[in-house]
Amino acid sequence: MSDRTSMLAQPLQRPSAGRAAAYLGLFVLGAVVGLAGALVQGGWFPGGLLLALLGEAGLLLGGARAAGSRAGAVAPAGGWMLAVIFLTASRPEGDFVFAAGSGSYLFLLGGMAVAVICATLGGGRQPGGDPVRLGK
């Protein structure tokens, strides 16, 4: 029997200062990508929408890969969501970023789906040590 416990049984620890700064940077970068995507998807409808969603997916998967954990994808996804939700609100002057068209809804719903998919596919932490097969 092994003396190592499951990763799920280990207590949660605070991230280091460098890792927390990286997550904050990814959060801000996610907000910037959300703002840019909101502007691009309406400007060039079919291609802009695809470009905005691919940009978001690239940031999320790149963040997960760089951080080595799923939190690297969740942090920019949170920034993206916050920026996009902030942009959906209309101002008292009547200005708004998103029109009530199918492209805007595809960007909102597609972006949320991309965030969930990338956060799920993002590499989770793997235990160190030799790979073993159970029952051998």
Side-chain angles (χ1 to χ4, degrees):
M1 191 161 209
S2 175
D3 60 338
R4 293 186 339 179
T5 60
S6 168
M7 291 191 69
L8 294 175
Q10 296 176 1
L12 293 176
Q13 298 176 357
R14 277 191 145 141
S16 66
R19 188 170 284 271
Y23 290 151
L24 181 64
L26 286 170
F27 183 85
V28 170
L29 196 57
V32 170
V33 168
L35 173 67
L39 298 175
V40 168
Q41 65 86 23
W44 307 309
F45 171 60
L49 176 64
L50 185 61
L51 180 67
L53 293 177
L54 285 175
E56 179 195 5
L59 172 65
L60 297 177
L61 290 175
R65 179 95 173 185
S69 69
R70 287 190 178 108
V74 172
W80 185 90
M81 290 254 193
L82 186 69
V84 169
I85 288 174
F86 179 71
L87 292 173
T88 58
S90 63
R91 297 179 29 180
E93 297 88 14
D95 298 336
F96 56 90
V97 175
F98 291 109
S102 62
S104 296
Y105 292 121
L106 284 174
F107 176 68
L108 292 171
L109 296 175
M112 286 186 255
V114 165
V116 169
I117 291 168
C118 290
T120 303
L121 291 178
R125 296 184 312 164
Q126 296 294 323
D130 295 330
V132 297
R133 289 180 53 186
L134 298 176
K136 287 267 178 178

